[in-house]
Amino acid sequence: MTFTKEEKVEHLQNIIKIKSENDHEEEVAKYIQALLAEHGIDSELVEYKPGRSSLVADVKGQKDGQGKMLVVSGHLDVVAAGDESEWTYPPFAAEIHDGKLYGRGASDMKAGVMALVLSAIELKEAGAPFSGTLRLALTVGEEIGMYGSKQLVEEGYADGASGFLIAEPSSTDLVINAHKGSIQYEIISKGKAAHSSMPELGVDALQLMVDYINATNKDFDAAFNAAGAENEQLGRTINVNTVINGGTQINSVASKIVLKANARTVQEAGNDLVVKIIEDNIAKLNAEGRGELELNMLQNNPSAESQPDNDLIKEIIAANDKEVKVEVIMGATDASNFGRIDGDYDLAIYGPGELGISHQVDEHVEVDEYLLAIDLYNKIIPNYLS
């Protein structure tokens, strides 16, 4: 093997120490780029904006890479650590205690990222014992916006892919083959302030928002529960209104209200349908002339779905000497964007770490599971591409 256990752990610690909280991913990408270059692998930084670059690198197998292409991916950003004084160990120190490596992003998902990187290097050093192409695609901005994966797909980096292996934390005992889509959006209601003793002199933005919520809830309920609207694996589309802000004081008519909401979608009642219901109700209420509603789209990512017995998942199961469960999740990953490619694809979301401790204080990954993931990828990838 190319790397010792200590080297594998040190490389993970080094990228956890880079504070890529919803930004500054380019520093992580450059560290990985230098590591790849040391082992003869060229890579490309794909700039999203200054300081934020995704990374793409290919390892071509036998016959100059002719055959299938497997895209392996992880994101370089992490969520904010929050109040660092609440952490038992500093969130960017990457300390190891009782076999656990602590730090923001240890589980979600720098362990998965580095496991993919080291596997790609070790496979290259072993002579790339497969046909086809292994493409490493490490992205920016997954936690907020999924900007990097969207850019890579739009610029053609996923074209021709047969499968996607996303190293999000699932634990090595579980592989995910599908997840819902996600629409995050704001509705802005604009009115006119007035004294509450003379409401006729104002335009009540709060009442307009209440009418919007009631109208869309009725339409959402009908659409999401219609015949044929349920997905066999993922269930039904849902919409949840999560935050509402507005008004200034108790004796004034509200002039502005902002509603935040999140829809989780399935293909049978998909993103276009949700957006159409929102836009139709906004148009209908705006036509009444009692204030103005506006849609601000924050994120619009479709569901990602593959069969639970696809070829990639078969190789994951075969590589293990223990039972591996296959499940779906309701959350969303970069697979939402990668799945926009034409044609069918194999999807497996499979990586070291536990989803339940992601974004938490004292986030960590089991060192042994991280090391196991590298060994598993070294089996899974060439078997899938052979």
Side-chain angles (χ1 to χ4, degrees):
M1 302 295 284
T2 302
F3 298 97
T4 66
K5 172 183 174 180
E6 291 73 21
E7 288 171 333
K8 292 174 182 178
V9 172
E10 183 180 4
H11 284 304
L12 175 56
Q13 288 176 304
N14 288 344
I15 64 169
I16 289 173
K17 290 175 182 177
I18 299 172
K19 201 172 184 179
S20 55
E21 293 177 299
N22 300 310
D23 202 344
H24 309 297
E25 297 97 332
E26 186 169 276
E27 188 176 348
V28 186
K30 285 183 174 179
Y31 178 93
I32 292 170
Q33 185 175 50
L35 178 60
L36 292 169
E38 287 177 16
H39 296 273
I41 300 175
D42 293 331
S43 60
E44 176 186 358
L45 297 183
V46 182
E47 185 179 75
Y48 172 68
K49 60 170 56 175
R52 309 192 73 178
S53 291
S54 299
L55 179 145
V56 178
D58 285 352
V59 176
K60 293 189 179 295
Q62 311 301 323
K63 302 178 183 178
D64 197 30
Q66 294 180 22
K68 294 190 292 188
M69 180 171 76
L70 176 64
V71 175
V72 298
S73 183
H75 59 83
L76 304 174
D77 57 319
V78 301
V79 298
D83 185 350
E84 297 190 14
S85 68
E86 295 180 359
W87 288 67
T88 305
Y89 310 106
F92 298 100
E95 295 182 15
I96 298 174
H97 299 274
D98 299 322
K100 298 175 181 178
L101 199 166
Y102 287 85
R104 175 55 84 221
S107 179
D108 185 16
M109 60 172 295
K110 287 181 175 176
V113 165
M114 188 51 68
L116 292 175
V117 170
L118 297 182
S119 174
I121 292 171
E122 291 188 340
L123 289 171
K124 190 264 183 185
E125 295 286 345
F130 51 84
S131 346
T133 299
L134 168 63
R135 174 160 292 173
L136 189 64
L138 307 179
T139 64
V140 304
E142 189 272 351
E143 296 290 0
I144 299 177
M146 299 188 185
Y147 305 124
S149 56
K150 184 173 185 290
Q151 179 185 18
L152 292 184
V153 170
E154 289 176 347
E155 295 186 12
Y157 290 96
D159 290 355
S162 301
F164 298 95
L165 174 56
I166 313 293
E168 288 276 7
S170 65
S171 88
T172 54
D173 298 329
L174 173 68
V175 59
I176 295 153
N177 70 292
H179 63 67
K180 286 186 172 181
S182 178
I183 307 174
Q184 296 179 6
Y185 62 97
E186 294 178 333
I187 303 297
I188 302 162
S189 176
K190 301 174 184 178
K192 179 183 177 183
H195 197 282
S196 61
S197 66
M198 297 176 286
E200 68 278 5
L201 299 180
V203 177
D204 191 344
L206 178 55
Q207 185 58 54
L208 180 59
M209 186 65 79
V210 169
D211 293 344
Y212 163 83
I213 291 171
N214 287 335
T216 51
N217 279 349
K218 180 180 177 182
D219 289 348
F220 285 147
D221 185 63
F224 301 162
N225 292 293
E230 184 169 1
N231 182 276
E232 183 178 346
Q233 295 191 84
L234 296 168
R236 298 182 184 277
T237 292
I238 60 172
N239 182 79
V240 182
N241 297 321
T242 53
V243 178
I244 190 164
N245 293 305
T248 55
Q249 61 184 54
I250 197 167
N251 61 341
S252 294
V253 171
S255 62
K256 184 178 180 180
I257 302 292
V258 178
L259 172 74
K260 297 178 186 290
N262 186 198
R264 299 286 175 164
T265 61
V266 300
Q267 186 175 5
E268 288 77 1
N271 295 41
D272 290 346
L273 174 63
V274 173
V275 174
K276 184 176 188 306
I277 289 172
I278 294 168
E279 291 179 339
D280 285 353
N281 278 285
I282 285 176
K284 188 183 303 181
L285 289 165
N286 283 348
E288 296 177 4
R290 49 188 185 92
E292 181 184 0
L293 293 165
E294 176 185 321
L295 169 64
N296 179 26
M297 186 66 68
L298 304 174
Q299 184 185 88
N300 188 357
N301 297 106
S303 59
E305 187 175 357
S306 185
Q307 293 303 310
D309 61 347
N310 70 63
D311 289 344
L312 184 54
I313 288 179
K314 286 178 181 177
E315 296 300 343
I316 290 171
I317 293 171
N320 278 273
D321 57 6
K322 59 186 176 184
E323 180 184 2
V324 177
K325 296 181 179 178
V326 183
E327 296 183 2
V328 301
I329 57 172
M330 300 302 107
T333 74
D334 274 332
S336 289
N337 283 319
F338 289 127
R340 295 176 191 266
I341 65 168
D342 294 333
D344 294 334
Y345 57 88
D346 298 322
L347 171 65
I349 299 165
Y350 185 67
E354 301 286 342
L355 188 59
I357 62 172
S358 300
H359 300 197
Q360 301 291 320
V361 168
D362 289 342
E363 180 182 350
H364 60 271
V365 66
E366 297 278 352
V367 171
D368 285 347
E369 185 176 51
Y370 160 65
L371 296 172
L372 174 61
I374 300 169
D375 293 340
L376 288 170
Y377 292 152
N378 284 345
K379 297 177 185 177
I380 294 161
I381 292 168
N383 286 342
Y384 178 76
L385 288 174
S386 295

